[in-house]
Amino acid sequence: MRRIAVINQKGGSGKTTTTVSLGAALAEKNKRVLIIDLDPQYSATTWLATHTVGRGVFDLFAETEKTGIRSLIHGTTTPNLSLVGSSAWLVGAEKALATEPGAETVLREKLADIEDDFDFLLIDCPPTLGVLTVNALTAAREVLVPVEAHVMGLQGLAQLIQTVDLVKKRLNPQLNITGILACRLDQRTKHGPEIVQKLRARFPETCRTTIRENIRLAECPSMGEPITSYADTSSGAQDYRDLASELLNEYEAKQDQEEPLEYEQVAND
Ligand SMILES: Nc1ncnc2c1ncn2[C@@H]1O[C@H](COP(=O)(O)OP(=O)(O)OP(=O)(O)O)[C@@H](O)[C@H]1O
Ligand SMILES: [Mg+2]
């Protein structure tokens, strides 16, 4: 199972849109996909859940001994796409976990049960670099960072890379940044493409795929459907299908690399 944490501490950068849309695009390619909503705002859950999820993923942290992850997995209307939902209960978890020794590894331990049940795990993180995001980074092997293709969208990237690097050193040596993904690209202005150029120059791990601004992407959460079924021929569906292909093809290539990329230098710029 490929385990991908979708993170950016900047709010509204496209994490949930990317998690759900990429998940649906991979599911369409017959990959078995599990989305874990790790955000107390539970946007991915509102989008995808077909019935109430109760306290959802919160129970993994609060009732750690009693709760196995399997009992929290629900199907969605999309074939091959499953969800572990979140709820507002998770707001309290961040605080409680901050003082609990070993809290960073709870999610990783729970995932052992389902290693062979899915091809992809996508974790939708909250817009913070707190203990929930650290749990995701500890459980994941890959990081996908959606950024808004605006000047302000790049703020905080160095700090984010430093956090990933720290978790890699202290808790999870297998962690690598798979991609930085430019989202909400407005191709009608010069500004958007310039930002993408800047990203590519500075971060070699920037995805080849970019996600264009697309009204259909903004509409589909309230319809309870992913973009691939809500607007099958939209640019949003096309872009996320491209991203799914990119992740599937690049995996082979990346496995051939001997050394993982070094992020420290960039983070210290
Ligand atoms: N490519 C796009 N085109 C149009 N709208 C988009 C696009 N990507 C995201 N949006 C919209 O931008 C808003 C923020 O996106 P999203 O919720 O995915 O960000 P987020 O990083 O998950 O936010 P948060 O940090 O609050 O969890 C949403 O209203 C979403 O519908
Ligand atoms: Mg979100």
Side-chain angles (χ1 to χ4, degrees):
M1 178 169 76
R2 282 180 69 178
R3 305 170 172 204
I4 305 178
V6 182
I7 75 164
N8 191 335
Q9 75 275 32
K10 205 165 182 316
S13 54
K15 294 179 286 296
T16 303
T17 306
T18 296
T19 305
V20 172
S21 311
L22 172 63
L26 287 165
E28 209 179 49
K29 292 180 192 287
N30 283 324
K31 301 295 172 192
R32 297 163 304 166
V33 182
L34 175 64
I35 287 175
I36 297 184
D37 187 354
L38 213 54
D39 186 350
Q41 297 173 108
Y42 57 92
S43 328
T45 305
T46 311
W47 189 343
L48 289 177
T50 50
H51 58 279
T52 169
V53 301
R55 304 198 303 184
V57 72
F58 173 78
D59 281 339
L60 279 192
F61 299 102
E63 309 270 347
T64 306
E65 300 307 318
K66 275 200 279 182
T67 313
I69 193 160
R70 273 221 177 88
S71 66
L72 302 175
I73 298 175
H74 296 282
T76 67
T77 54
T78 305
N80 292 326
L81 185 66
S82 302
L83 172 75
V84 171
S86 169
S87 67
W89 283 85
L90 211 52
V91 178
E94 186 97 33
K95 223 174 171 182
L97 289 171
T99 55
E100 195 180 305
E104 304 90 349
T105 57
V106 171
L107 185 61
R108 176 164 70 190
E109 282 153 29
K110 295 292 176 183
L111 289 182
D113 286 352
I114 54 162
E115 178 66 45
D116 299 325
D117 295 5
F118 296 95
D119 301 304
F120 278 85
L121 166 67
L122 303 176
I123 310 172
D124 186 20
C125 292
T128 57
L129 292 175
V131 70
L132 289 169
T133 297
V134 171
N135 252 277
L137 291 175
T138 308
R141 301 201 182 97
E142 303 177 55
V143 181
L144 181 62
V145 186
V147 297
E148 242 193 293
H150 291 278
V151 173
M152 304 293 271
L154 308 192
Q155 280 179 351
L157 260 185
Q159 190 199 353
L160 183 155
I161 287 168
Q162 251 166 352
T163 303
V164 172
D165 205 39
L166 212 62
V167 173
K168 182 180 165 88
K169 270 194 196 124
R170 294 190 180 158
L171 292 161
N172 184 9
Q174 298 187 56
L175 191 65
N176 281 304
I177 297 185
T178 281
I180 296 175
L181 176 68
C183 292
R184 307 201 68 163
L185 177 62
D186 184 352
Q187 287 177 315
R188 292 165 308 175
T189 65
K190 262 192 355 200
H191 176 68
E194 269 170 17
I195 294 288
V196 176
Q197 259 180 1
K198 231 184 189 167
L199 260 181
R200 293 213 164 106
R202 185 135 185 236
F203 303 102
E205 57 279 70
T206 302
C207 298
R208 272 179 298 175
T209 307
T210 53
I211 310 296
R212 289 166 281 183
E213 179 78 23
N214 177 222
I215 185 72
R216 297 287 179 221
L217 278 169
E219 286 167 1
C220 61
S222 55
M223 302 300 170
E225 271 188 78
I227 189 72
T228 43
S229 53
Y230 171 64
D232 181 43
T233 56
S234 62
S235 67
Q238 197 184 323
D239 291 346
Y240 279 106
R241 285 182 182 122
D242 286 350
L243 179 64
S245 304
E246 183 174 345
L247 287 184
L248 289 168
N249 299 335
E250 284 211 345
Y251 193 49
E252 314 289 325
K254 284 208 165 174
Q255 273 193 328
D256 293 335
Q257 283 176 5
E258 281 182 8
E259 286 291 316
L261 291 166
E262 185 56 71
Y263 300 104
E264 222 166 327
Q265 199 182 341
V266 188
N268 290 336
D269 281 355

